[in-house]
Amino acid sequence: MSWNGMRGISPIPGYVVLQPTTLCNLDCTYCYLPFRSRNDRMSPATAAAVAASVNEWAARNDRFSVVWHGGEPLAAGRPALAELMAPFEGVEHHVQTNATLIDDAWCEFFTEHQMHVSVSVDGPPDLNGERIDRGGSPAYQRILRGIETLRRHEIPFSALCVVGRPAPGLATRLYDYFLDLGCDVLGINIEEQEGVNARANDFGAAPVRAFWAELVAAWRRDPRIHVREIEWTLRYAGAVLSGGADDVLPAALDPIPTIAADGRVFLLSPELAGFTDAHYGDFSSGNVLETSLATILAGAAGSAGWVPEYLRGVEACRSTCPYFGFCGGAHAANRYFEHGRFDGTETNHCRNSKICLLEGVLDHAGAR
């Protein structure tokens, strides 16, 4: 089949990611961030420069999101984060947090600003062992305390879980855990080899595929949680059956602009922020303190030397991969950190989180 979506880069994103600080109070073993021990902070001028473009996009769309990511965004403190948020109008504010700093005052802040909260937690204590503080101590009890504070304030939250090694029984155990935890939405990330996390992520197709099939089975028994990966896969499968598979992918790639604390803009993969390469430079496409975000995105396809190479890689995926209609092409950071370049095609991330996901869901359907 000839897939028509994902051609070029859209000049208008669906959301933007902002880094209020590079600092994180945890030191998770699989984290990709290079400067999480530093406290480089975003200035109000940088946030205002981003808002100048974002507010125009938000005015023309029913929904537009600003995602505060880190580091640990809450490490910036409430006054600083409120000042950074102030220039934005008509947007939804989201925060991705490790939850360890959440207290009553933060919950009042979330409520006041109508923030959507997503918590990073990998399951019960024995599965959460990679999430440690700078002294090497487990962070689980502090994470749980923050989540319990959210629940006491009746603040809905999503959960993001990293799976390091899929194994039989793990998916069921995780799903049951998150049911009890009380999250509304669950996202599952199979550990990725990217950034400063150089651990290999080739877990083998069979165990990963079985993990996804088991997760679908657990979800179908009690589908109270929206599981991001399952719902996307079912949507695609339904489109295939109805003859509309080519309409699932957007017409163009979302640029997913990430604005670092210093104002530099990184496109397509937030994980590239903070890295440099002798051939590709620092991967940035400009700085909002010098050029408007709208202008940077209008020239996105040629804004950084690696971007045209990446787009050639997407076209290679389109012409060679039968899963392109589901995946849309390997993510830029995964290509780079696994292959050392951007025009390669299949990655371990593709296999773990796209190919095996789709096949696992179909395995479950075929076994019923």
Side-chain angles (χ1 to χ4, degrees):
M1 180 174 181
S2 177
W3 305 102
N4 293 309
M6 308 293 268
R7 295 188 185 276
I9 301 174
S10 172
I12 300 177
Y15 62 98
V16 298
V17 180
L18 278 81
Q19 184 184 49
T21 177
T22 56
L23 179 66
C24 186
N25 59 320
L26 297 188
D27 195 22
C28 302
T29 58
Y30 53 64
C31 184
Y32 62 86
L33 292 167
F35 301 123
R36 57 187 186 271
S37 63
R38 291 188 348 201
N39 191 13
D40 299 339
R41 289 173 169 253
M42 178 174 284
S43 69
T46 300
V50 177
S53 294
V54 164
N55 291 347
E56 293 185 13
W57 295 328
R60 300 198 298 266
N61 290 274
D62 293 335
R63 184 179 183 185
F64 195 95
S65 298
V66 173
V67 180
W68 299 94
H69 208 293
E72 168 51 49
L74 304 194
R78 287 182 295 279
L81 190 56
E83 188 174 13
L84 295 177
M85 294 168 60
F88 292 93
E89 300 173 357
V91 304
E92 290 183 358
H93 287 286
H94 296 246
V95 63
Q96 184 66 47
T97 174
N98 62 37
T100 60
L101 300 177
I102 294 176
D103 56 14
D104 291 335
W106 270 114
C107 286
E108 292 167 4
F109 183 94
F110 297 150
T111 300
E112 177 186 354
H113 295 279
Q114 299 181 309
M115 292 193 81
H116 298 255
V117 180
S118 179
V119 173
S120 298
V121 58
D122 299 337
D126 63 305
L127 299 177
N128 206 74
E130 308 271 12
R131 304 191 64 75
I132 56 177
D133 64 20
R134 300 204 165 273
S137 299
Y140 182 76
Q141 291 304 322
R142 281 169 284 172
I143 295 170
L144 188 61
R145 183 173 64 241
I147 292 172
E148 289 172 344
T149 305
L150 288 172
R151 294 176 63 174
R152 190 172 69 251
H153 283 262
E154 299 182 340
I155 295 176
F157 65 96
S158 303
L160 184 62
C161 170
V162 174
V163 172
R165 186 161 293 279
L170 177 60
T172 299
R173 190 174 174 216
L174 283 173
Y175 187 76
D176 290 344
Y177 170 84
F178 285 105
L179 275 177
D180 292 339
L181 194 67
C183 61
D184 292 339
V185 179
L186 173 62
I188 299 286
N189 286 350
I190 305 294
E191 184 177 340
E192 300 173 45
Q193 179 185 335
E194 60 185 4
V196 296
N197 179 23
R199 300 193 306 197
N201 61 337
D202 183 359
F203 303 118
V208 178
R209 184 169 173 169
F211 170 85
W212 290 119
E214 183 183 319
L215 184 64
V216 179
W219 172 77
R220 286 186 63 88
R221 285 194 297 271
D222 191 353
R224 280 180 287 154
I225 297 176
H226 295 282
V227 181
R228 181 185 62 185
E229 289 74 19
I230 293 175
E231 293 192 356
W232 166 252
T233 307
L234 293 177
R235 179 187 170 205
Y236 175 75
V240 170
L241 293 173
S242 66
D246 196 33
D247 299 325
V248 174
L249 293 175
L253 288 155
D254 191 318
I256 318 175
T258 295
I259 296 83
D262 61 5
R264 285 180 299 161
V265 178
F266 297 87
L267 303 182
L268 300 164
S269 285
E271 299 84 359
L272 293 171
F275 291 91
T276 58
D277 181 277
H279 177 64
Y280 299 110
D282 71 355
F283 302 104
S284 69
S285 293
N287 192 306
V288 295
L289 294 174
E290 301 168 357
T291 308
S292 74
L293 184 57
T295 299
I296 291 171
L297 296 191
S303 60
W306 64 270
V307 175
E309 183 179 304
Y310 171 70
L311 293 176
R312 291 195 297 272
V314 172
E315 292 309 307
C317 285
R318 185 193 311 276
S319 63
T320 61
C321 181
Y323 298 90
F324 183 85
F326 177 65
C327 172
H331 294 174
N334 299 113
R335 292 176 191 257
Y336 173 72
F337 288 113
E338 290 191 32
H339 296 323
R341 53 187 302 115
F342 291 95
D343 55 2
T345 52
E346 189 174 307
T347 63
N348 285 330
H349 175 68
C350 287
R351 288 186 282 272
N352 293 335
S353 299
K354 302 295 182 180
I355 297 172
C356 288
L357 167 61
L358 179 58
E359 292 181 345
V361 172
L362 295 177
D363 286 347
H364 171 77
R368 296 184 67 240

